[in-house]
Amino acid sequence: MQKKQEDLRTKKRSDIRLMLGGWYYTWCRYLAWHTTKRQFASEHGQKNYPYVCFQHKSLLKRNLTKEEEVYQENKIVNLRLAVEKLDGIIVYPQETLSYWKTIGKPTASKGYREGMMLKEGTIVYGIGGGLCQLSNLLFWITIHTPLEVVERHRHGYDVFPDANRTQPFGSGATCFYPYGDLMIVNPTQQPFQLRLHVGKTHLHGEWRMLHPLQVRYDIAERNHEMRREWWGGYSRHNQLYRLTLSQEGTLLEEQLVAENHAMMMYQPLLDASVKDGQSC
């Protein structure tokens, strides 16, 4: 693999440039939503489709400080509001599911609260914070299906060491309204139904379908590397491939579904007793 020699350092921009850039890209996204030829998924079904294609769950609370406990509770409130918009949505053949077009703008008037966010490598607090946990889960369950991710934004920082990590580095998707979207297309001949649930301890998600598949999917991490950058600090890189397997386990096809490049917010080779956490 030939690594991209991109500069991963945070680029400092003036407040006015950030404001104008945010305004510009926001209206570009609104215009794209209304002028695209894509057919966006909008129908919901409350009756479960009979077959589960893939399911996963992620822990809602981590062992953070008492001061951060309120923001974890707020995150759960935010997740419940967003899940109400997405749960049960049906993506028919050739339709596209847009994460933000479906959820809408998270605002205080809709009940969203301040939660933790990651901005330029530091923790900040903002309305709707914590919704990246939902986009992370949605991306992970989607790449275990025949659905195709056509827009995904990678995390620019690797926040926690690998102790207790159950998924490969870079297996999530960050989100920022409205132009940092997660969009998923259904290229198959049957509809898929998304089911989501905020439980007592975990966020649950699954893709369901009308007819069983004759194949199954697995994710393989390749070309993983941690390296020291010339300007100081460490970066992390990898690729994730979706493997299409027969029911007997024979490899039928492989497809690159994510390539990740991120700055590490911790020193490599930390003691394994260090606990990991849930990043936004």
Side-chain angles (χ1 to χ4, degrees):
M1 168 186 172
Q2 185 176 359
K3 301 294 186 190
K4 293 181 179 179
Q5 299 299 316
E6 59 181 295
D7 192 337
L8 297 174
R9 291 175 294 178
T10 299
K11 296 176 177 63
K12 298 297 182 182
R13 295 182 172 90
S14 66
D15 290 342
I16 189 168
R17 183 175 177 182
L18 290 173
M19 180 186 69
L20 292 175
W23 180 89
Y24 172 78
Y25 287 111
T26 293
W27 284 102
C28 283
R29 178 57 53 134
Y30 290 157
L31 182 63
W33 279 344
H34 289 89
T35 59
T36 182
K37 294 181 180 180
R38 291 185 184 275
Q39 182 67 39
F40 289 105
S42 60
E43 183 179 329
H44 289 70
Q46 295 308 310
K47 184 178 179 180
N48 282 345
Y49 279 10
Y51 297 97
V52 175
C53 189
F54 189 78
Q55 59 186 343
H56 186 68
K57 63 181 180 181
S58 61
L59 193 64
L60 288 171
K61 290 187 177 181
R62 301 287 175 171
N63 294 322
L64 302 179
T65 65
K66 290 184 179 180
E67 290 76 13
E68 293 169 326
E69 176 68 21
V70 63
Y71 295 108
Q72 293 202 83
E73 295 292 343
N74 288 351
K75 177 190 72 173
I76 294 173
V77 172
N78 294 341
L79 288 172
R80 292 188 190 279
L81 291 171
V83 163
E84 285 181 5
K85 298 292 186 179
L86 282 168
D87 179 42
I89 196 164
I90 298 171
V91 186
Y92 287 100
Q94 309 312 314
E95 280 192 338
T96 298
L97 172 62
S98 165
Y99 183 80
W100 281 129
K101 192 173 190 303
T102 305
I103 294 174
K105 186 176 182 179
T107 63
S109 62
K110 295 178 182 178
Y112 286 94
R113 300 180 182 179
E114 277 200 339
M116 290 186 289
M117 301 175 174
L118 189 63
K119 181 179 181 181
E120 298 180 351
T122 59
I123 299 295
V124 297
Y125 304 96
I127 298 296
L131 290 183
C132 283
Q133 182 170 354
L134 180 55
S135 60
N136 286 340
L137 181 139
L138 180 54
F139 176 74
W140 181 244
I141 63 175
T142 298
I143 60 177
H144 286 83
T145 74
L147 302 176
E148 293 183 1
V149 177
V150 293
E151 181 179 341
R152 173 252 185 183
H153 300 268
R154 67 175 188 254
H155 292 276
Y157 293 88
D158 185 27
V159 183
F160 298 101
D162 283 356
N164 299 326
R165 188 183 295 222
T166 59
Q167 297 166 217
F169 155 68
S171 57
T174 190
C175 61
F176 36 97
Y177 184 89
Y179 46 87
D181 205 358
L182 175 62
M183 293 207 295
I184 299 160
V185 169
N186 181 0
T188 75
Q189 300 302 309
Q190 68 165 316
F192 278 72
Q193 181 189 41
L194 177 64
R195 297 314 309 245
L196 298 164
H197 171 65
V198 180
K200 291 183 178 180
T201 59
H202 288 79
L203 172 66
H204 302 258
E206 61 184 23
W207 279 110
R208 303 185 71 97
M209 52 197 175
L210 289 177
H211 310 289
L213 299 177
Q214 302 305 311
V215 297
R216 57 187 177 87
Y217 300 93
D218 199 4
I219 302 301
E221 179 185 36
R222 294 180 183 163
N223 302 308
H224 178 262
E225 178 188 7
M226 296 180 183
R227 67 170 179 250
R228 184 159 192 161
E229 299 292 350
W230 64 268
W231 63 81
Y234 292 87
S235 63
R236 192 169 185 177
H237 314 263
N238 75 351
Q239 292 176 318
L240 299 181
Y241 282 81
R242 174 168 56 192
L243 309 182
T244 304
L245 307 169
S246 69
Q247 295 295 345
E248 294 75 28
T250 302
L251 178 63
L252 304 175
E253 183 184 6
E254 60 180 50
Q255 177 187 10
L256 178 66
V257 291
E259 182 168 339
N260 299 292
H261 308 276
M263 289 301 298
M264 298 170 65
M265 294 178 63
Y266 56 91
Q267 293 293 318
L269 305 178
L270 282 178
D271 188 279
S273 64
V274 178
K275 300 290 186 180
D276 74 323
Q278 177 67 50
S279 66
C280 181

